[in-house]
C-alpha cells in the first residue's frame, strides 16, 4: 500500500483498520466447489476500529534506511493488534464503550 501511495501522484494516507465480525458468519470448515454451500449465520456483536494515521516518512526519519520498512511494518501490525484487542474487550469481554481508547 505504501508503494501505491508513493507512486499515485496524489497524497495518500494509511490508517490501520480492524474489523471484528468473524463470529457472525465464519467460513465453512471445508471448501465446496458447488454453488449453494451451507453457511451458518449467528447473531453476534461486530466492531470496527480505525487507528490514527501512520506515516512512513515520520517513522523512516527516526531510524536507518535499511530498517525503515521493518519498523513501519511492525508499527502497523502493532496498531492493528491493539485495535483488535480493544474490539475483543468491547464485544467478547462485554465492556462496550469502556474498552475504547482515545
Amino acid at each position: 500500500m505504501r508503494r501505491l501511495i508513493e507512486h499515485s501522484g496524489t497524497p495518500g494516507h494509511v490508517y490501520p483498520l480492524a474489523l471484528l465480525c468473524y463470529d457472525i458468519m465464519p467460513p465453512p470448515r471445508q471448501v465446496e466447489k458447488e454453488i449453494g454451500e451451507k453457511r451458518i449465520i449467528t447473531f453476534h456483536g461486530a466492531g470496527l476500529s480505525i487507528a490514527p494515521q501512520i506515516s512512513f516518512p515520520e517513522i523512516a526519519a527516526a531510524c536507518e534506511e535499511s530498517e525503515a520498512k521493518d519498523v513501519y511494518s511492525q508499527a502497523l501490525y502493532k496498531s492493528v493488534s491493539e485495535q483488535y484487542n480493544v474490539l475483543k474487550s468491547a464485544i467478547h469481554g462485554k465492556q462496550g464503550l469502556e474498552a475504547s481508547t482515545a
Side-chain angles (χ1 to χ4, degrees):
M1 291 305 298
R2 181 183 62 84
R3 290 181 53 91
L4 286 173
I5 290 171
E6 288 175 353
H7 298 296
S8 69
T10 58
H13 308 278
V14 175
Y15 292 89
L17 171 76
L19 174 64
L20 186 67
C21 61
Y22 178 87
D23 293 325
I24 294 173
M25 189 171 74
R29 292 186 181 174
Q30 62 185 21
V31 178
E32 296 179 18
K33 295 184 179 183
E34 298 178 16
I35 295 176
E37 67 185 11
K38 185 177 179 180
R39 299 297 294 261
I40 298 171
I41 300 172
T42 61
F43 177 79
H44 203 278
L48 175 68
S49 181
I50 302 171
Q53 178 180 350
I54 294 183
S55 171
F56 181 75
E58 289 176 10
I59 290 176
C63 57
E64 294 182 26
E65 186 177 336
S66 61
E67 63 181 9
K69 292 178 187 177
D70 289 335
V71 172
Y72 183 67
S73 295
Q74 291 170 3
L76 287 170
Y77 181 81
K78 180 181 176 191
S79 178
V80 171
S81 295
E82 288 172 359
Q83 296 307 309
Y84 270 116
N85 289 335
V86 168
L87 291 174
K88 287 177 188 176
S89 296
I91 294 169
H92 298 296
K94 300 183 181 179
Q95 293 181 2
L97 293 176
E98 299 299 320
S100 295
T101 57

